[in-house]
């Protein structure tokens, strides 16, 4: 297998749902032990409810998964919750066995499926570094060698001899990630661990991950944060329903994932039966993208305002409801959140509501956008209904006719493109500068 | 470690698996750190701290001496009853703690099993090692008591480490069985305290094994702790050498250890899915 680090062949994992034959009490096992032979003697079928139950209630968390990974390659794995990503990582980490198929791995494997596994609250930061390091597979000498680096990366120098139960959650997470970030395996398996910590720390973690993969290590990286996946991975695999749906260049696969979670990504979504899946206080009926004309659209021109409208029924009269939207781009980055926060101060009352949010002209950048709709109350904070990626629409910019581009037809980067107020003033140059201007002209 | 050596094929396993002692040796530092963690955490936020390792057996000894030694007049074969019972309480307390810790070592550490790979045998192994510290502390007290009662150790004192090893094997062997069963059958959590109550009565802790009728002695000796405890009395206090009990003890402990290990290895492939 020359430079292959991982070869997965037809891997599958079957789980039993509902009552497990395994999870009996001793009493049941013992009574079976005695009743089964008697039943057999009497020529009756042996009654084994858990067992029959169990055969009809199996499901494949993962099936027919095959792929190869070269040494030093970084594979992003994406998919919805319950798609089978974590099962795949658990098999590759040898935490659980596959039901069928094989996976060949060359090199030391270390996996990071959770930040801070085995941390003990009563132990100090220093003690936990050693304990956690050993659990993750580091040698004591290796931990000692990297100790200062780990502490510095986590920024907990002052508290290193304090029990971690007194750490803030941020410090705790930083320390835990820092230990893991200093692993030096040949194959690294990482599951959704960047979702913790503040933005600044996330950025440093991403940097660390880039360092790791640049160092020639083979990395599996599972995340729901598409910006992290597209930044880190050239190759991405999309898993859905336990099967590999796509495996290829990051951008294409991420697009496919966004389509998958956004339904058909169209400008209007209505619920035949209003969606009251959360607490029943609010039922969502529809979410639509509308142009100024009121027309429902899948495509909008960024030079004009666009309205996102949601219709919902309020069934509980006593709630101070706030409708809101979150806007995401194709990379999964949240562009901004907008809420009708003026409504938080008074009860909404029972009724059929239509709430519309106007996005001003010249704010959005080109590309596909998704809006998630939500109705919540603030004090206490309760989400009464939410529709993730309820609608999707293409933001277009007709290059040739846009006066704001002033004839510029190249790429316009950025996740938003607001039209901002500018001031430019001009004054005459001081006289000493004229002397410099003259020779320049003379050169020509 | 070379890349060649660390080639791994992951696939469904069937039937019995070998114990894989090489992998355990490979992970010896993890065994040490987990045992060390149990020791470090044991007496946190207590007033008396590690003194508990002394207070507990000493109070037990006092109670035993008053009720069994004085009131019940249980014979101690010429040895002062306090030291007669204390010598037995040390290995028994170790065994009892090690057994309850190890039988809970898998169920109590599900988070590790579900998130990290390491040889699963490490969990019960490290949990029977940690209580050895308490044993060591209390052993110093025992030596002090021997001076107090003017009992000189026999040359067989050099066999004490061997007796400790037999005791660890008995605790680990039983712990392996129970911890693996505990994953599937949580009944084990209720059985262990009850089992230990019965077990101490069937072990010569409060009384000498000489009370047992000769005809029943081979059956009595199937309890591996019987040989260990009479062995301690022999090595430290100069009691009769318990040849039959001790040899049975060694054999039974070894059988428990090997079968427990094999059963554990067979069951461990489902731990992450069931636990």
């Amino acid at each position: 297998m020359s430079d292959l680090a991982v070869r997965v062949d037809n891997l599958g994992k079957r789980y039993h749902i509902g009552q497990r034959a395994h999870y009996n009490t001793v009493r049941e096992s013992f009574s079976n032990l005695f009743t089964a032979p008697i039943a057999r003697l009497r020529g009756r079928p042996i009654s084994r409810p858990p067992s029959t139950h169990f055969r009809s209630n199996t499901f494949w968390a993962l099936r027919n998964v095959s792929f190869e990974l070269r040494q030093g390659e970084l594979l992003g794995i994406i998919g919805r919750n319950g798609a089978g990503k974590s099962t795949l990582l658990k098999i590759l980490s040898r935490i659980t066995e596959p039901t069928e198929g094989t996976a060949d791995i060359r090199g030391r494997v270390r996996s990071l499926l959770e930040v801070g596994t085995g941390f003990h609250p009563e132990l100090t930061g220093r003690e936990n570094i050693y304990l956690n390091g050993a659990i993750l597979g580091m040698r004591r000498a290796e931990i000692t060698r990297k100790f200062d680096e780990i502490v510095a990366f986590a920024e907990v120098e002052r508290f290193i001899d304090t029990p971690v139960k007194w750490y803030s959650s941020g410090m705790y997470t930083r320390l835990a990630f820092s230990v893991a970030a200093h692993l030096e395996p040949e194959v690294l398996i990482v599951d959704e661990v960047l979702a913790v910590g503040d933005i600044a720390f996330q950025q440093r973690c991403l940097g660390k991950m880039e360092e790791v993969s640049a160092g020639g290590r083979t990395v599996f990286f599972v995340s729901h944060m598409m910006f992290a996946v597209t930044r880190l991975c050239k190759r991405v695999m999309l898993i859905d329903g336990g099967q590999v749906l796509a495996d290829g260049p990051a951008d294409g696969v991420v697009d496919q994932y966004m389509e998958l979670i956004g339904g058909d990504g169209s400008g209007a979504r209505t619920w035949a039966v209003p969606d009251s899946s959360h607490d029943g206080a609010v039922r969502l009926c529809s979410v639509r993208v509308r142009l100024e004309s009121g027309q429902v659209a899948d495509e909008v021109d960024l030079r004009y305002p666009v309205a996102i409208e949601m219709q919902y029924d309020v069934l509980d009269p006593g709630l101070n409801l706030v409708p809101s939207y979150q806007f995401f781009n194709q990379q999964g980055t949240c562009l901004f959140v907008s809420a009708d926060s003026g409504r938080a101060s008074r009860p909404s009352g029972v009724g059929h509501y239509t709430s519309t949010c106007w996005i001003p002209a010249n704010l959005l950048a080109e590309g596909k956008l998704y809006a998630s709709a939500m109705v919540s109350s603030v004090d206490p904070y309760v989400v009464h209904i939410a529709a993730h990626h309820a609608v999707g629409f293409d933001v277009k910019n007709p290059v040739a006719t846009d006066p704001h581009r002033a004839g510029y037809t190249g790429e316009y980067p950025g996740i938003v493109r607001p039209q901002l107020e500018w001031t430019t003033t001009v004054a005459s140059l001081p006289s000493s500068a004229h002397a410099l201007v003259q020779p320049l002209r003379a050169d020509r | 470690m070379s890349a060649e050596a660390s080639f791994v094929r992951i696939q469904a396993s069937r039937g019995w698996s070998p114990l894989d002692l090489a992998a355990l040796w490979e992970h010896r530092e993890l065994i040490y750190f987990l045992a060390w963690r149990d020791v470090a955490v044991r007496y946190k936020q207590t007033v008396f701290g590690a003194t508990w390792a002394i207070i507990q057996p000493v109070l037990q000894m006092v109670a035993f001496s008053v009720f069994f030694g004085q009131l019940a007049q249980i014979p101690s074969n010429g040895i002062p009853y306090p030291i007669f019972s204390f010598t037995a309480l040390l290995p028994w307390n170790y065994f009892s703690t090690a057994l309850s810790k190890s039988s809970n070592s898998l169920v109590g550490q599900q988070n590790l099993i579900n998130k990290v790979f390491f040889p699963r045998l490490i969990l019960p192994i490290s949990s029977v090692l940690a209580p050895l510290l308490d044993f060591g502390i209390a052993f110093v007290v025992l030596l002090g008591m021997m001076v107090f009662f003017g009992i000189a150790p026999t040359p067989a004192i050099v066999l004490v480490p061997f007796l400790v090893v037999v005791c660890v094997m008995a605790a680990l062997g039983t712990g392996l069985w129970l911890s693996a069963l505990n994953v599937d059958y949580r009944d084990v959590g209720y059985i262990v305290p009850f089992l230990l109550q019965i077990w101490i009565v069937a072990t010569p802790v409060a009384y000498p094994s000489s009370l047992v009728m000769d005809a029943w002695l081979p059956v009595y000796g199937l309890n591996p702790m019987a040989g260990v405890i009479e062995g301690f009395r022999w090595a430290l206090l100069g009691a009769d050498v318990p040849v039959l009990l001790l040899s049975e003890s060694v054999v039974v402990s070894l059988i428990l250890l090997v079968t427990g290990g094999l059963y554990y290895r067979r069951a461990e492939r489902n731990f992450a899915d069931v636990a």
Side-chain angles (χ1 to χ4, degrees), chain A residues 1 11 13-15 20 22-27 29 71 90-108 110-114 117-120 122-124 127-128 130-131 134-141 143 163 165-166 186 191, chain B residues 1-14 17 20 25-38 40-41 44-45 109 111-118 120 181-188 191 265 267-275:
Chain A
M1 57 194 245
L11 210 59
K13 173 82 184 177
R14 188 180 52 201
Y15 280 104
R20 292 204 41 145
H22 262 293
Y23 208 82
N24 294 341
T25 61
V26 172
R27 190 178 61 83
S29 297
Q71 220 149 24
K90 279 190 176 181
I91 293 173
L92 295 175
S93 312
R94 295 169 69 193
I95 289 166
T96 183
E97 284 190 352
T99 310
E100 60 180 30
T102 57
D104 293 335
I105 302 184
R106 182 168 296 248
R108 268 182 309 149
R110 295 286 179 262
S111 47
L112 183 53
L113 304 191
E114 179 189 64
T117 304
F119 259 50
H120 199 290
E122 298 284 351
L123 299 178
T124 66
E127 293 166 335
N128 269 307
Y130 277 94
L131 177 62
I135 288 172
L136 293 175
M138 280 195 236
R139 302 228 171 255
R140 193 209 304 234
I143 304 170
K165 65 176 172 180
W166 291 322
E186 280 124 22
D191 189 6
Chain B
M1 197 201 312
S2 77
E4 287 304 319
S6 56
F7 172 84
V8 164
R9 163 160 285 200
I10 297 166
Q11 60 188 345
S13 57
R14 284 185 181 80
S17 313
D20 201 0
W25 180 246
E26 180 84 11
H27 286 79
R28 59 192 180 278
E29 287 191 351
L30 181 56
I31 299 179
Y32 164 78
F33 274 114
L34 289 175
W36 164 83
R37 173 200 62 185
D38 289 347
V41 168
K44 291 254 174 176
Q45 271 197 20
Q109 298 183 85
N111 59 332
L112 287 188
I113 293 177
N114 285 326
K115 298 292 179 190
V116 195
F117 168 76
F118 52 84
R120 300 318 193 192
L181 284 168
N182 200 3
V183 173
D184 277 339
Y185 308 103
R186 297 298 156 90
D187 311 63
V188 169
I191 291 171
R265 286 281 291 159
E268 75 174 25
R269 66 186 66 129
N270 288 324
F271 287 166
D273 297 335
V274 182

Side-chain angles (χ1 to χ4, degrees), chain A residues 41-63:
Chain A
L41 278 180
R42 290 180 177 170
R44 285 194 202 141
I46 302 156
S47 91
R48 265 209 211 122
S51 202
T52 43
H53 194 109
F54 151 122
R55 243 171 235 122
S56 57
N57 266 307
T58 59
F59 94 104
W60 289 88
L62 208 63
R63 191 124 210 222

